[in-house]
Amino acid sequence: METTLRLHYAPDNASLIIRLALEELGLAYETCLVDRATGAQSQPAYLALNPNGTIPALETPDGVLFETAAILMWLSETTGKLAPAVDTPKRAHFLKWMIWCSNTFQVDLRHFFYPEKFIGPDPDQQRQLRGMFRARIEGDLDILEAGLVATPGLAGGGTPTLLDIYIPCLLRWTKLYAELPNQPWFELSRYPILHAIAQRAETRASTQAAQIAEGLGPHPFTAPILATPPEGSAT
């Protein structure tokens, strides 16, 4: 892949997952800040790239891509890396958990983060929705831990896969944003497999590059703190 890629990102948003994949693959890429503080994701210039107004978007030789899982799979397929080979038994389970992370875990987090988008402006209804989805997120963690125990080698091994990139980010946002004030509930140590995946992710050069670029702090996955990015805003 010789053409430079352009990642439209905001710090500590879903674009972080794509940045980590690009770094892990050693691909040349440029970044273009989508400034959430000014609502740039809702402006015509960005909507022309991603009509959903969500972050990220990736400009590629095949056109503009959006949807995190789609971008990840495109990167994997065009490089032949970060995924079990098509003709191996682990491929089907890998695809299952990749789509689950995107369509279940990340969607549940989004409902918790942005209840007003789904239930409207009423604070009581937002509180009820958040309570429901926090319970769902706890269930998601149990499901993912059990799934990776049942199918070892999909993540946390010697050769990283896209799940080694995707899962630590979801764990980060669960700890940072899915806890309510004075109501801590998520302890990563309760999930040995997920904890090991997060620890291993923090040792990789791709994570270190993202820490600098997005101000993620010293332990972005095992003990996350709010990002202090050199540009833009995480919220």
Side-chain angles (χ1 to χ4, degrees):
M1 188 183 300
E2 298 179 356
T3 303
T4 298
L5 304 167
R6 180 174 293 107
L7 174 62
H8 295 262
Y9 89 104
D12 206 15
N13 279 232
S15 51
L16 170 62
I17 303 167
I18 307 304
R19 182 192 291 273
L20 289 167
L22 292 167
E23 290 287 343
E24 193 69 44
L25 291 166
L27 297 176
Y29 69 99
E30 302 171 351
T31 58
C32 181
L33 176 67
V34 183
D35 192 351
R36 293 190 59 179
T38 62
Q41 72 274 20
S42 302
Q43 299 302 311
Y46 186 72
L47 292 175
L49 299 172
N50 184 349
N52 302 301
T54 55
I55 302 167
L58 183 70
E59 295 185 62
T60 81
D62 294 337
V64 180
L65 302 180
F66 47 83
E67 297 298 325
T68 300
I71 297 172
L72 290 174
M73 294 304 299
W74 181 84
L75 288 170
S76 176
E77 290 177 1
T78 53
T79 61
K81 298 177 180 179
L82 296 181
V86 173
D87 58 351
T88 60
K90 290 180 182 177
R91 177 73 176 192
H93 294 287
F94 167 79
L95 292 173
K96 172 180 69 179
W97 288 112
M98 276 293 296
I99 300 305
W100 182 89
C101 283
S102 175
N103 285 9
T104 300
F105 196 168
Q106 191 170 352
V107 168
D108 288 346
L109 286 172
R110 184 170 174 79
H111 277 78
F112 186 92
F113 300 158
Y114 308 111
E116 70 282 358
K117 294 181 181 293
F118 303 97
I119 203 69
D122 183 86
D124 289 334
Q125 291 184 342
Q126 290 180 18
R127 195 176 303 111
Q128 291 175 11
L129 188 71
R130 276 192 159 143
M132 181 177 70
F133 274 91
R134 190 169 80 165
R136 287 181 60 126
I137 292 163
E138 288 191 75
D140 291 341
L141 292 164
D142 292 333
I143 289 169
L144 183 56
E145 176 80 6
L148 295 177
V149 168
T151 314
L154 294 181
T159 301
T161 71
L162 292 174
L163 289 170
D164 286 291
I165 292 167
Y166 210 151
I167 290 171
C169 293
L170 296 175
L171 297 175
R172 169 182 172 80
W173 299 324
T174 297
K175 180 63 176 177
L176 274 181
Y177 302 116
E179 288 193 334
L180 299 175
N182 303 315
Q183 295 183 39
W185 64 274
F186 172 49
E187 291 298 334
L188 186 55
S189 59
R190 287 174 49 194
Y191 308 94
I193 299 299
L194 300 181
H195 193 188
I197 290 170
Q199 287 179 314
R200 186 181 291 269
E202 290 182 345
T203 68
R204 292 201 290 270
S206 56
T207 296
Q208 294 159 15
Q211 285 172 278
I212 295 169
E214 303 198 14
L216 301 181
H219 303 287
F221 306 127
T222 60
I225 59 175
L226 293 174
T228 55
E231 66 170 0
S233 170
T235 57

